[in-house]
């Protein structure tokens, strides 16, 4: 391209750049890039095709979003489900996190979680790709993430949900203060999905954030982790923690926390050992940095093993299609769940979910995790060191055995046809560190899908819904409602 042609090209593509001078050549391109974050372009207004029209549109297709879509479809709504990845399941599949925690209370006396979580486990069991561990506080079951992808496809087809994969939500379309549609991008271009009710299950609260609703992040975000699958892992096994403690620094891998599980129905092992500190994965540049740093750390593990466990034959078999993101934005809703609500097992009249997973804070400021249990004990763990055990409160004879999630912590207000589901829920740092696990988030999806259906059927804004009725429908459909 000649300088003058390039000049014309730049002029035509940077319309609306306030005060920019257009120069020729590579320097100009570099200057454009350097200034990019300070500049604004005015997107030309244009007509968009409507790709689909539905009663309910669910954004984000992890199990949370899939369960919201399935619940609403089972009740009779026409549902569209939008997912940016090539498959459904979110962190459980595309980030390889293959563990669901206990469905029982902390004493293993009462089942507190059922619904679609149990349906999926039962279906995967039939394929021999689940390992149950019913009396383990750490693991309820481990599963094969790839088999789960296929099972979720089947369930979506069976329930008549209209799926869109490789489809990225970008902007809401609001007219006269009413959320009418969402704008998405995919291989067919840019288009709209119209619906009467919307469920934001994007994890990062992309819809709520772009609507300008009140979102917030914790004082420090729990760090993301790139999981990886290895063959031949038995040769390293438990030795890895010690190896990590002794040689992590040499390979520039921050000492965080390491856990992993064999992948049922396969001969590979899933390891979650990397940590990328100080990044907010709802920011595009920081997410990019996190992805690349997470992969570098996986390679560093391989180099560490090659050097210090020679002849072990550990082979890297697969990386996830997305880094595992623990936390980004939360949405300010009608109620913020507090750490003390969880640790004291507070009961809520509008409870739509129950959980027993401990408080599990992944530290940003130091290696390791702190666990706090409902029985008053706590434990600080880091790789290669024995856990430091103690009490976070005085010992008592009777302890709570589970906690609850109130419906209000999913309801943002502002738009009567919008509800959230999943890790964006309104919770403080301590509460979120327990609530965030999938068996809990799955239930928020089921509740959001049920509420969306009820809002549609009764023509009632979501914040004004009769929660007793939501609880009743959930119980009738197989959820444990207490
Ligand atoms: C490394 C790691 C280990 C963990 N370990 C466990 C564990 O052992 N057990 C456990 O239960 N929990 C664990 N957790 C926590 C748990 O996995 C998450 O808290 C939970 O999966 C969050 O669910 P979610 O549906 O809210 O979000 P996500 O799983 O993040 O799902 C969001 C979905 O929305 C899609 N999406 C996002 N933005 C858009 C957009 N703009 N357009 C279209 N689609 C979009 C994403 O692709 C994704 O499918 C772990 C988390 C991590 C990161």
């Amino acid at each position: 391209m000649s300088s003058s042609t390039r000049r014309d090209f730049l002029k035509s593509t940077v319309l609306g750049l306030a005060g920019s001078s257009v120069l020729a050549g590579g320097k100009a391109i570099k200057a454009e890039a350097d200034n990019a974050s300070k500049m604004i372009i005015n997107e030309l207004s244009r007509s968009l095709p409507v790709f689909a029209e539905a009663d309910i549109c669910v954004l984000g297709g992890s199990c949370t979003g899939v369960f919201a879509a399935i619940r609403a479809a089972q009740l009779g709504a026409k549902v569209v489900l939008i997912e940016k990845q090539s498959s459904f399941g979110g962190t459980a599949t595309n980030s390889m996190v293959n563990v669901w925690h206990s469905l029982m209370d902390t004493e293993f006396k009462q089942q507190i979680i059922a619904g679609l979580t149990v349906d999926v486990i039962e279906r995967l069991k039939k394929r021999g790709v689940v390992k149950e561990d019913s009396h383990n506080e750490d693991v309820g079951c481990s599963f094969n993430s790839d088999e789960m992808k296929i099972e979720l496809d089947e369930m979506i087809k069976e329930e008549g949900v209209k799926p869109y994969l490789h489809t990225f939500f970008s902007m809401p379309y609001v007219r006269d203060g009413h959320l009418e549609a969402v704008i998405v991008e995919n291989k067919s271009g840019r288009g709209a999905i119209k619906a009467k009710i919307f469920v934001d299950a994007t994890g990062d609260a992309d819809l709520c954030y772009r609507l300008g609703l009140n979102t917030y992040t914790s004082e420090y975000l729990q760090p993301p982790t790139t999981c990886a699958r290895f063959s031949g892992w038995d040769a390293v096994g438990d030795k890895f923690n010690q190896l990590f403690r002794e040689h992590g620094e040499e390979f520039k891998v921050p000492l965080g926390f390491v856990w992993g599980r064999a992948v049922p129905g396969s001969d590979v092992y899933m390891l979650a050992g990397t940590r990328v500190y100080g990044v907010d994965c709802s920011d595009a540049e920081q997410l990019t940095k996190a992805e690349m740093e997470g992969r570098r750390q996986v390679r560093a593990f391989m180099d560490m093993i090659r050097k210090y466990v020679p002849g072990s034959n550990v082979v890297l078999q697969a990386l996830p299609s997305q880094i595992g993101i623990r936390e980004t934005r939360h949405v300010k809703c009608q109620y913020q769940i507090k750490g003390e609500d969880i640790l004291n097992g507070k009961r809520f009249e509008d409870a739509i979910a129950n959980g027993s997973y401990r408080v599990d804070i992944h530290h940003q400021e130091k290696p390791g995790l702190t666990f706090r249990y409902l029985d008053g004990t706590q434990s600080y763990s880091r790789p290669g060191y024995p856990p430091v055990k103690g009490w976070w409160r005085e010992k008592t004879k009777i302890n709570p055995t589970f906690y609850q999630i109130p419906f209000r912590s999913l309801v943002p207000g502002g738009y009567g046809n919008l509800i959230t589901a999943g890790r964006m829920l309104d919770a403080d740092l301590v509460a979120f560190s327990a609530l965030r696990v999938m068996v809990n988030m799955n239930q928020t999806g089921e509740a959001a899908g049920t509420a969306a259906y009820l809002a549609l059927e009764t023509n009632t804004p979501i914040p004004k819904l009769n929660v007793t009725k939501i609880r009743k429908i959930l119980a009738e459909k197989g959820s444990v409602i207490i």
Side-chain angles (χ1 to χ4, degrees):
M1 200 185 272
S2 73
S3 318
S4 61
T5 327
R6 179 185 291 278
R7 213 171 289 136
D8 292 343
F9 169 74
L10 283 171
K11 267 185 192 154
S12 66
T13 53
V14 296
L15 280 179
L17 296 182
S20 69
S21 60
V22 180
L23 307 168
K27 273 189 193 162
I29 305 288
K30 167 110 177 42
E32 293 289 329
D34 289 346
N35 288 325
S37 59
K38 296 173 205 144
M39 299 188 293
I40 282 176
I41 63 162
N42 296 317
E43 196 176 7
L44 297 176
S45 104
R46 56 181 160 149
S47 302
L48 294 178
V50 174
F51 287 152
E53 209 166 343
D55 294 327
I56 295 167
C57 172
V58 179
L59 296 173
S62 70
C63 288
T64 311
V66 171
F67 288 7
I70 288 180
R71 276 282 177 249
Q74 284 173 339
L75 290 163
K78 190 175 163 196
V79 185
V80 168
L81 175 60
I82 311 291
E83 168 54 46
K84 69 182 164 79
Q85 299 263 2
S86 62
S87 52
F88 296 104
T91 309
T93 57
N94 292 314
S95 302
M96 296 180 172
V97 177
N98 67 332
V99 166
W100 279 356
H101 294 286
S102 173
L103 309 182
M104 305 293 288
D105 70 355
T106 54
E107 292 177 351
F108 300 100
K109 287 184 180 151
Q110 181 184 3
Q111 182 167 354
I112 54 161
I113 300 168
L116 291 170
T117 300
V118 169
D119 289 0
V120 169
I121 294 171
E122 291 303 319
R123 291 173 72 121
L124 291 176
K125 264 203 251 173
K126 284 191 190 140
R127 304 211 40 100
V129 291
V130 172
K131 183 173 176 298
E132 282 188 292
D133 207 339
S134 53
H135 275 72
N136 182 332
E137 66 187 12
D138 261 344
V139 182
C141 71
S142 46
F143 50 82
N144 182 311
S145 298
D146 290 328
E147 291 275 354
M148 183 184 278
K149 288 180 186 174
I150 303 170
E151 211 54 55
L152 294 174
D153 287 348
E154 293 304 311
M155 292 172 79
I156 286 164
K157 282 189 271 178
E158 283 164 23
E159 301 299 346
V161 172
K162 168 107 177 116
Y164 279 90
L165 289 169
H166 293 293
T167 299
F168 201 102
F169 156 75
S170 61
M171 287 301 287
Y173 177 75
V174 176
R175 201 162 55 149
D176 298 331
H178 180 69
L179 176 59
E180 272 189 15
V182 287
I183 312 297
V184 299
E185 304 265 356
N186 59 24
K187 278 306 248 186
S188 306
R190 187 168 162 90
I193 309 279
K194 290 184 82 180
K196 296 184 186 107
I197 316 280
F198 294 85
V199 179
D200 186 347
T202 58
D204 303 322
D206 284 359
L207 173 58
C208 293
Y209 179 72
R210 303 241 157 80
L211 279 167
L213 294 180
N214 195 348
T215 58
Y216 64 95
T217 48
S218 303
E219 300 144 48
Y220 61 78
L221 292 168
Q222 303 217 19
T225 288
T226 301
C227 297
R229 290 194 198 121
F230 301 91
S231 57
W233 190 258
D234 284 353
V236 182
D238 293 343
K239 277 186 273 176
F240 187 70
N241 268 306
Q242 193 62 25
L243 203 66
F244 195 4
R245 176 186 156 187
E246 285 168 7
H247 306 292
E249 209 177 327
E250 180 188 342
F251 291 88
K252 298 192 176 55
V253 195
L255 197 64
F257 187 79
V258 181
W259 68 272
R261 276 307 143 211
V263 178
S266 82
D267 54 5
V268 292
Y269 187 85
M270 191 290 298
L271 185 84
T274 67
R275 282 283 183 290
V276 186
Y277 290 104
V279 288
D280 175 351
C281 291
S282 64
D283 174 280
E285 288 188 18
Q286 293 183 52
L287 175 59
T288 305
K289 179 184 156 196
E291 292 282 10
M292 294 169 76
E293 170 58 14
R295 288 194 283 267
R296 184 198 68 76
Q297 290 184 22
V298 172
R299 174 177 280 181
F301 287 166
M302 289 300 300
D303 291 344
M304 201 188 297
I305 291 166
R306 280 193 195 112
K307 182 165 176 187
Y308 291 106
V309 195
S312 66
N313 204 25
V314 173
V315 175
L316 173 62
Q317 293 292 348
L319 285 167
S321 54
Q322 180 175 296
I323 191 168
I325 300 172
R326 289 193 172 80
E327 187 177 16
T328 55
R329 303 179 190 112
H330 294 276
V331 182
K332 188 86 201 87
C333 290
Q334 292 177 335
Y335 182 81
Q336 187 188 48
I337 312 172
K338 312 282 188 311
E340 62 256 32
D341 295 340
I342 299 301
L343 288 165
N344 297 323
K346 184 168 172 176
R347 296 286 177 270
F348 293 97
E349 275 185 11
D350 62 335
I352 44 78
N354 310 302
S356 59
Y357 184 68
R358 61 201 169 191
V359 162
D360 166 2
I361 297 175
H362 289 242
H363 297 289
Q364 279 273 14
E365 78 290 3
K366 59 180 179 184
L369 313 177
T370 295
F371 297 129
R372 279 191 187 162
Y373 298 86
L374 270 60
D375 68 0
T377 56
Q378 74 173 20
S379 160
Y380 170 59
S381 299
R382 61 195 161 132
Y385 293 87
V388 182
K389 296 194 172 178
W391 293 83
W392 62 267
R393 66 158 162 80
E394 281 179 20
K395 200 171 174 179
T396 48
K397 275 198 182 136
I398 299 172
N399 300 300
T401 58
F402 66 95
Y403 49 77
Q404 297 194 306
I405 301 178
F407 180 68
R408 285 164 293 157
S409 63
L410 307 177
V411 181
Y415 294 86
N417 61 343
L418 169 69
I419 184 161
T420 71
R423 62 178 163 82
M424 72 193 71
L425 88 174
D426 197 355
D428 73 13
L429 190 150
V430 173
F432 179 67
S433 67
L435 292 171
R436 65 194 176 87
V437 294
M438 293 179 267
V439 290
N440 295 345
M441 297 299 94
N442 293 349
Q443 297 172 82
T444 66
E446 294 179 71
T450 305
Y453 166 78
L454 203 59
L456 183 80
E457 197 207 35
T458 59
N459 199 19
T460 308
I462 285 169
K464 298 222 159 85
L465 282 175
N466 178 342
V467 185
T468 311
K469 214 160 176 188
I470 299 173
R471 284 167 44 92
K472 186 165 174 283
I473 300 173
L474 282 167
E476 281 164 4
K477 289 281 173 190
S479 300
V480 178
I481 294 295
I482 302 169

